[in-house]
């Protein structure tokens, strides 16, 4: 226990000897200070021998601070006998250090009754250590109300332990007097209160007062306060200052700060230094840092090292280690080991591991074993698992069950789930709900949703108004914007549709560009339409190339066009072959025309 003397006579004197371990390391200033202290001690000793009670008290405190308990005790007892309350307090400290706690408490009580705030604090702590909380509260409150910082903090700690609302008042009092742990704990309490008030969603912004107290504690060397301050600043985008506080905290031994600093450096592109801090944090037992190191080595192809760090994360109690080991084994084709690690993480409550395990079992044909894990993951909040359950039920033809899970995943922002809900609503004729979900999915980047949304809007689009001279007036509609968005994402049917819209407004170059993109991506309609466009522009040979591609992909009208081309060229056998192909491909109207052309070509060939 620290020396706890009267504030006026002990803490403000600055006369305590600070012994040096090696004389030859002393600087001239230190030597001078020691000489001054020695002279002061001699002066106090002479005064004490002359009967000066205050000198006895101060000399006893000096010897106590230096560790000379035998020398201190006689002076402190003499001063105490003369009624010096600071001496009584320090005599209690001395006796406490020697293991005489009850006798120490007796002297503290004498000093506390005489008005020593430090003694009241020491006596309060003594009672708390023995489980006598009412007595502890009484004496700590006496100390705190006299302005004693440590008394205020100890009282706040006691009240907080009991869940008493008055704890904040005294924690604040201690913090305002410079107690760094009080400042940190006040910040934590206010932080938790703000999180409760906002339902845990405050947009990542801590209240100003919380930041103020974290900053005060961090400035006084509190490493966890520095960590929390760094987190606040990082969320706010002030990365440079956040990095400085993380660095301060990490250098003081806070593993979580070292880990956070590593992520900050990685995001800045400095993976080498990030790895240094992650290594430091991982060696101090931080599982998150060990996982980060594992991921870094996995990216470099150093799978054995990655596995070692994932195991270290798992040993540190981070369930992500087992999940990441599962992912690593799955990537290497080690399915049995992957299942083992997924199971370990899933049983520990890792929802994504449960989802991954279910997928693994489903791929192995164990649908019965997969479903409970999908359910467990979905109930734990895994959006992917909810979507996968939708797929599972849809595959069984259980459309209503599938829709429920799709809706759950869509509500959590799953793009493909929103698309599936939109399609289901379209089939049910609920166009308004369908549009809402399709917009969500399209906004999330789904090309198919953008195309489907465009078709919905296209179907309700009024006819284009005509110019007074009969020329159409083209206005860019919302459906065209969605078609173009889907087309730009590589959606082939959207590309064909955008090409058709461009052709309708006379933009042949734009139409050809979109038809060509669709055709080269494998769209038979794109290839057929590109052929039509080229034929109209007088490039029938090139058109035939695209019609051939479309016909080979099963496009009946393209086959009929080829039959007509070859018939006009006089290549009757080739024309008849393509006519046969068009009859086989259809549709009915094309097959009928192709059959007539084939019969005519056959007669011509047999004539």
């Amino acid at each position: 226990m620290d020396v706890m003397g009267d504030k006026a006579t002990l803490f403000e004197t600055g006369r305590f000897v600070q012994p040096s371990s090696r004389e030859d390391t002393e600087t001239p200033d230190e030597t001078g200070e020691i000489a001054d202290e020695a002279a002061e001690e001699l002066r106090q000793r002479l005064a004490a021998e002359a009967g000066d009670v205050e000198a006895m008290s101060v000399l006893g405190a000096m010897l106590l601070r230096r560790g000379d308990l035998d020398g201190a005790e006689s002076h402190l007892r003499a001063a105490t006998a003369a009624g010096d309350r600071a001496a009584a307090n320090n005599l209690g400290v001395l006796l406490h250090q020697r293991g005489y706690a009850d006798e120490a408490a007796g002297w503290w009580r004498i000093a506390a009754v005489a008005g020593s705030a430090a003694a009241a604090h020491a006596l309060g702590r003594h009672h708390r250590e023995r489980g006598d909380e009412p007595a502890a509260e009484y004496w700590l409150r006496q100390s705190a109300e006299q302005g004693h910082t440590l008394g205020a903090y100890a009282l706040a700690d006691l009240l907080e332990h009991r869940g008493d609302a008055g704890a904040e008042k005294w924690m604040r009092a201690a913090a305002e007097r410079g107690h760094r742990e009080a400042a940190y704990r006040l910040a934590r309490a206010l932080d938790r209160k703000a999180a409760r008030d906002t339902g845990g969603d405050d947009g990542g912004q801590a209240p100003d007062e919380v930041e103020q107290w974290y900053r005060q504690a961090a400035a006084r060397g509190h490493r966890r306060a520095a960590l929390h301050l760094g987190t606040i600043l990082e969320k706010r985008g002030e990365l440079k200052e956040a990095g400085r506080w993380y660095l301060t905290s990490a250098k003081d031994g806070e593993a979580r700060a070292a880990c956070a600093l590593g992520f900050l450096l990685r995001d800045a592109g400095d993976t080498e230094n990030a790895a240094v801090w992650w290594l430091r944090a991982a060696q101090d037992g931080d599982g998150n840092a060990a996982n980060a190191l594992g991921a870094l080595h996995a990216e470099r192809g150093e799978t054995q090292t990655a596995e070692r760090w994932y195991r270290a994360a798992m040993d540190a109690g981070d369930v992500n280690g087992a999940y990441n080991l599962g992912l690593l084994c799955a990537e290497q084709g080690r399915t049995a080991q992957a299942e083992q690690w997924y199971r370990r993480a899933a049983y520990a409550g890792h929802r994504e591991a449960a989802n991954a395990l279910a997928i693994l079992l489903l791929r192995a044909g164990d649908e019965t074993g997969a479903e409970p894990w999908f359910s467990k993951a979905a109930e734990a909040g895994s959006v992917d698992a909810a979507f996968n359950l939708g797929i599972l039920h849809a595959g069984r033809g259980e459309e209503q069950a599938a829709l429920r899970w799709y809706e759950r995943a869509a509500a959590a922002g799953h793009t493909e789930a929103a698309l599936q809900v939109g399609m289901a609503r379209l089939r049910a004729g609920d166009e308004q709900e369908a549009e809402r979900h399709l917009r969500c999915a399209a906004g999330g980047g789904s090309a198919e949703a953008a195309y489907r949304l465009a078709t919905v809007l296209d179907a309700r689009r009024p006819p284009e108004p005509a110019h007074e001279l009969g020329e159409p007036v083209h206005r860019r509609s919302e459906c065209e914007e969605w078609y173009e968005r889907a087309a730009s994402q590589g959606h082939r049917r959207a590309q064909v549709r955008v090409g058709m819209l461009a052709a309708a407004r006379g933009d042949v170059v734009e139409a050809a560009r979109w038809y060509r993109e669709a055709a080269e991506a494998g769209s038979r309609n794109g290839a057929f339409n590109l052929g039509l466009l080229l034929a109209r522009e007088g490039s029938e040979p090139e058109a035939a190339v695209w019609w051939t591609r479309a016909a080979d992909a099963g496009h009946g009208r393209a086959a009929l066009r080829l039959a007509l081309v070859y018939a006009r060229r006089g290549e009757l056998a080739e024309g008849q072959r393509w006519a046969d192909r068009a009859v086989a491909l259809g549709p009915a109207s094309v097959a009928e025309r192709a059959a007539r052309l084939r019969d005519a070509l056959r007669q011509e060939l047999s004539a």
Side-chain angles (χ1 to χ4, degrees), residues 503-573:
R505 63 176 179 263
D507 192 343
V508 177
V509 174
E510 184 73 0
R513 180 173 76 84
W514 286 112
Y515 286 151
R516 191 178 298 275
E517 279 200 35
E520 289 175 348
S523 168
R524 61 189 187 185
N525 285 329
F528 175 71
N529 287 357
L530 180 58
L532 288 178
L533 204 63
L534 292 167
R536 288 170 190 159
E537 295 297 312
S539 301
E540 190 173 84
E542 188 180 355
V545 172
W546 290 105
W547 283 333
T548 301
R549 182 180 290 193
D552 287 341
H555 199 288
R557 291 177 64 198
L560 177 58
R561 287 279 178 173
L562 285 169
L564 291 169
V565 168
Y566 284 111
R568 284 197 299 271
R569 292 179 183 174
E571 300 177 28
L572 304 184

Side-chain angles (χ1 to χ4, degrees), residues 150-213:
L150 295 176
Y153 174 71
L155 177 60
D157 183 66
L158 176 63
L159 295 175
E160 187 176 81
H161 173 72
R162 292 211 311 244
D164 193 310
E168 183 180 327
K169 168 191 170 183
W170 291 109
M171 197 70 78
R172 188 181 295 276
E176 288 171 348
R177 293 169 192 156
H179 194 292
R180 71 176 188 180
E181 184 66 24
Y184 170 71
R185 288 179 63 175
L186 177 60
R188 293 294 295 146
L190 294 172
D191 209 355
R192 287 191 291 267
K193 183 179 179 182
R196 287 194 300 270
D197 291 344
T198 57
D201 181 16
D202 60 356
Q205 296 297 317
D208 292 341
E209 188 182 14
V210 171
E211 182 180 341
Q212 167 202 333
W213 290 115

Side-chain angles (χ1 to χ4, degrees), residues 423-565:
M423 297 292 291
R425 295 303 182 197
L426 272 181
R427 289 192 294 271
D430 188 351
E431 191 173 291
Q432 186 174 357
E433 273 297 293
E435 181 183 341
R436 184 172 71 84
H437 282 93
L438 290 174
R439 283 187 183 277
C440 290
S446 170
E448 181 66 25
Y451 173 73
R452 296 285 182 176
L453 175 60
T455 60
V456 169
L457 297 173
D458 204 1
R460 66 168 81 131
R461 184 172 60 162
E464 291 283 358
H467 189 270
E468 60 183 6
L469 297 178
E471 297 176 358
V473 177
H474 178 75
R475 291 188 180 89
R476 184 179 176 81
S477 63
E478 186 187 5
C479 77
E480 288 183 71
E481 293 175 2
W482 287 112
Y483 277 135
E484 287 184 10
R485 180 180 292 195
S488 65
Q489 293 176 261
H491 194 286
R492 293 182 301 180
R493 284 175 294 170
Q495 289 169 339
V496 172
R497 183 61 181 150
V498 171
M500 292 171 66
L501 292 169
R505 63 176 179 263
D507 192 343
V508 177
V509 174
E510 184 73 0
R513 180 173 76 84
W514 286 112
Y515 286 151
R516 191 178 298 275
E517 279 200 35
E520 289 175 348
S523 168
R524 61 189 187 185
N525 285 329
F528 175 71
N529 287 357
L530 180 58
L532 288 178
L533 204 63
L534 292 167
R536 288 170 190 159
E537 295 297 312
S539 301
E540 190 173 84
E542 188 180 355
V545 172
W546 290 105
W547 283 333
T548 301
R549 182 180 290 193
D552 287 341
H555 199 288
R557 291 177 64 198
L560 177 58
R561 287 279 178 173
L562 285 169
L564 291 169
V565 168

Side-chain angles (χ1 to χ4, degrees), residues 224-241:
R224 282 174 294 167
L227 166 65
H228 286 287
L229 179 58
T231 303
I232 290 170
L233 293 166
E234 184 181 359
K235 287 180 180 178
R236 204 161 63 207
E238 298 176 21
L239 302 184
K240 191 173 182 179
E241 189 180 359

